[in-house]
Every structure is written in structure tokens, then in C-alpha cells.
Amino acid sequence: MSDEHESESDADASDADGDDHDHHGHREPDRETFSHDPVGHAEARAGMTVGELADEYGNAGVGAANLHEAVDVTESMFDDDVTVFFGLAGAMVPTGMRRIVADLIRDGYIDVLVTTGANLTHDTIEAIGGKHHHGAVTAEGKTEREHDETLRDEEVDRIYNVYLPQEYFATFESHLREEVFPVLEEEGVVSIQRLTEELGRANAEVNERDDVDEGPGIAAAAYENDVPIYCPAVQDSVLGLQAWMYSQTSDFSLDALADMTPLTDIAFEADEAGAFVVGGGVPKNFTLQTMLVAPDAYDYAVQLTMDPKQTGGLSGATLDEARSWGKLEKDADNVSVYADATITLPLVVAAARERLEDA
């Protein structure tokens, strides 16, 4: 009887420990970091919405999982109670991302925009009737250098596979000198944000007055919706060059420090804050460093970039690294998506808006 009871007891113990064995009867090791969450296989079918596709990305791994998480964080960030700081670097306007950002501003999803003078320059060119055009990195039978030498002779500027005829810069200069700078000249020394505000006003008025086919754009949307645009490296652009040249023969000038107080005030007054950062450079750092002088840090952050972290550069610095500086809260929800932002920005924005607006 004793042997029989021991046998039953051993069987009971084996059943109790059944969760530690796989279906082959092998004992699984103790795992603290592992969780049972099998990778699924994403479905791609005709008629899917962007939101449904983003959900399918969540079943997959690598970059797809990151993009799905970016939609989750963006959805939370776009809540009415979160103050959203949007950093826009790179050639986002000439490559066709202009309307996405302008619509986010008009529909109340962006509270502060930090961008480059280049994006504002290209935004204005479109607002007053200019256009960017599909181009090519090289031409058949030519090296890339020979192709660019030809474009130089033909007075066409190239941004990877996008062309911009140079005459639009002359139109841009006339616009600034006739519609923007004279108003600011009466005010003397102004902040950079005041310049971007006046630029938005002029873009909106000329766009409507001249019945331009393209929309008035980002600066106009910001002006019409009281969203401040900060452009901390405005000198690094054709807009900055034109401002400098105008200042040589007038009382107009820019105060580079004047924006810091109102920007910091916005950060101080935010109950919750989110950073949506497209690309790196000055817009990224200026957006994130704002929290260094505020009592709190960002509660949400999404970064769309192609820059690697291994160089130690700012553009590639992870959002987790930013946490060590106090730019993000310790418990902030953040994610980085490493891919071309002209691919990821429309996907993330469309999927997040679908969830919020179709709920």
C-alpha cells in the first residue's frame, strides 16, 4: 500500500507542476523576462482601413510592432488634456507631408509647432502658387554629378527625387518684402515666433486673394488657430537669409531669445505634455529641451527617425536617453520608429485619427 500511495502522490505533484512542462514533457526553465505573447501573422486584405492595418502591425515584430505602438502612444497623446509639441525637421514640406501637418493644426491636435526655416520656406512657396515637382536622383546615361550639373544649368534645385525651379525663390523674396517684412519693420526688433505668425497671416491672405489651387498650408493654419510656430534655427534657411538681408537696410531684426519665455510658459502650464518628433536636428532638441526648465517632463513621446543611436548624435539619440536628462517622465509612454518619415508619418497619423474620430 505504501508504494501505491507514493506513486499516486508523485502523480499529483507532476500534475501540479504541469505548467512547467512543454507538450513534449520537457521542463521549462524559470523565466523572469519572458512572457507568453506569440508573434502573430499580419493579415493584409483588400478594403482594410489604415487603422485596421496598424492593428495587424501589432501582431508582427521588429519595426511593425514599433509602428503599432507609435499609433497607441499618439492616440493617447492626441487627447484633449495633453499639450502636444510637434517637432518637424527634414524636407517634410517639399516631399508632400504639408497637408498632414496643416490638418493636424486645424483640427486641434497640435498646440506648439517647432520646425525649420526650410520647411517654412517651402510651405510659403506652395501657399503663394509655387509647386514642387517629381524628379529623379539621376538621369539615364549620366552620373549623379552630371545630372546635378545639368540641373544647375537649368536652374532647378534637387531634394533627392523632388525638383524645385529656382524662380520660386524670387517669388518668395518678393512675397516677404511686400507682404511680411514691412509690417514687422514698424515693430523693430521682434521674436522669431512673431515672424512666423506674420508669415502665416500673409500666406493665408495671398493664398485666398490669388485663388491658389494649393491650400494655404502650415504657417497659415497655425496663424488662424493661434498655434505658435517656433523656428530656433531660422538663420539656417532661405527665410533666414532673406530676413538678414532685409535687416541690413531697415530697423527690422530678430531677437533669438524672445521666444523662450512664452514657450516655457506653455510647458509650465501643461497638465500633461506630449512630444511628437519627426526627424532630428534643432527641432527635435528644441522640443525636448523645453522640459529642462519646466517642473514636469513629457508624459508621451513618439519619434520618427532614420538616425542610428550609435553615433552619439542628437538626431539619433533615443527617447529613453532623453529620459536620463529629465526631458521625459520616468513612466512616460514613448516609442521610436526607425523608417523614412514620409512613409511612417501618414500611417501613424491616419491610424490614430481613425481611432479617435471613429470611436
Side-chain angles (χ1 to χ4, degrees):
M1 287 290 292
S2 175
D3 290 344
E4 188 176 311
H5 285 148
E6 284 179 8
S7 176
E8 289 176 358
S9 177
D10 290 344
D12 291 342
S14 176
D15 289 341
D17 293 337
D19 290 341
D20 292 335
H21 294 72
D22 63 20
H23 64 279
H24 295 299
H26 300 138
R27 184 173 182 84
E28 294 182 355
D30 293 331
R31 291 167 173 152
E32 293 183 5
T33 58
F34 174 81
S35 60
H36 184 74
D37 186 13
V39 170
H41 297 280
E43 179 184 10
R45 64 180 186 277
M48 296 178 76
T49 67
V50 178
E52 289 170 341
L53 180 61
D55 288 342
E56 290 296 320
Y57 276 41
N59 292 326
V62 193
N66 291 338
L67 188 136
H68 174 263
E69 186 178 355
V71 175
D72 289 344
V73 178
T74 302
E75 179 186 8
S76 299
M77 189 192 310
F78 281 175
D79 184 89
D80 289 340
D81 296 328
V82 180
T83 301
V84 176
F85 293 72
F86 197 97
L88 187 69
M92 290 294 100
V93 170
T95 54
M97 301 293 107
R98 178 177 184 255
R99 181 173 178 177
I100 293 172
V101 179
D103 285 348
L104 285 173
I105 293 171
R106 286 196 182 89
D107 296 334
Y109 291 114
I110 294 175
D111 299 291
V112 174
L113 178 65
V114 180
T115 191
T116 61
N119 273 319
L120 291 174
T121 296
H122 293 286
D123 175 58
T124 301
I125 286 173
E126 295 256 351
I128 61 177
K131 285 299 298 180
H132 299 82
H133 298 268
H134 291 286
V137 176
T138 189
E140 186 176 353
K142 292 184 177 181
T143 65
E144 187 171 346
R145 173 171 177 163
E146 290 169 340
H147 177 53
D148 286 319
E149 288 174 351
T150 301
L151 290 174
R152 172 71 174 270
D153 293 338
E154 295 178 357
E155 298 184 349
V156 175
D157 295 329
R158 179 171 73 88
I159 306 169
Y160 189 60
N161 59 1
V162 173
Y163 292 161
L164 178 64
Q166 288 182 3
E167 60 264 26
Y168 290 137
F169 285 111
T171 307
F172 175 64
E173 179 179 3
S174 297
H175 176 67
L176 293 176
R177 288 181 168 270
E178 295 169 11
E179 306 287 345
V180 181
F181 292 152
V183 177
L184 298 174
E185 183 178 1
E186 296 179 3
E187 301 174 24
V189 180
V190 300
S191 68
I192 297 171
Q193 188 274 324
R194 178 70 186 94
L195 166 63
T196 64
E197 179 182 48
E198 194 60 30
L199 184 67
R201 178 205 60 77
N203 290 0
E205 289 186 7
V206 172
N207 185 268
E208 183 176 2
R209 183 189 70 201
D210 295 350
D211 195 25
V212 177
D213 289 338
E214 194 58 65
I218 294 171
Y223 168 76
E224 293 169 346
N225 291 274
D226 296 320
V227 171
I229 297 179
Y230 297 104
C231 185
V234 67
Q235 303 96 316
D236 184 30
S237 65
V238 175
L239 173 60
L241 285 172
Q242 290 295 338
W244 167 71
M245 286 191 286
Y246 194 84
S247 74
Q248 300 305 292
T249 57
S250 73
D251 294 330
F252 161 73
S253 188
L254 295 173
D255 181 349
L257 296 179
D259 287 335
M260 300 305 293
T261 298
L263 174 64
T264 303
D265 286 345
I266 296 172
F268 260 84
E269 294 165 6
D271 293 328
E272 287 188 292
F276 194 111
V277 182
V278 181
V282 173
K284 174 184 175 180
N285 190 63
F286 197 73
T287 298
L288 294 179
Q289 78 167 18
T290 298
M291 290 302 166
L292 291 178
V293 290
D296 300 312
Y298 283 111
D299 302 282
Y300 306 95
V302 171
Q303 174 178 235
L304 309 180
T305 185
M306 290 181 69
D307 292 299
K309 63 183 179 182
Q310 290 85 353
T311 64
L314 180 279
S315 292
T318 65
L319 295 173
D320 291 320
E321 182 180 309
R323 180 179 278 105
S324 77
W325 289 75
K327 298 172 182 177
L328 268 66
E329 295 287 356
K330 286 185 178 181
D331 62 350
D333 291 335
N334 62 276
V335 60
S336 295
V337 181
Y338 292 91
D340 180 349
T342 62
I343 299 171
T344 56
L345 178 62
L347 282 172
V348 171
V349 170
R353 293 195 62 161
E354 181 179 320
R355 290 183 185 180
L356 290 163
E357 296 167 23
D358 291 350

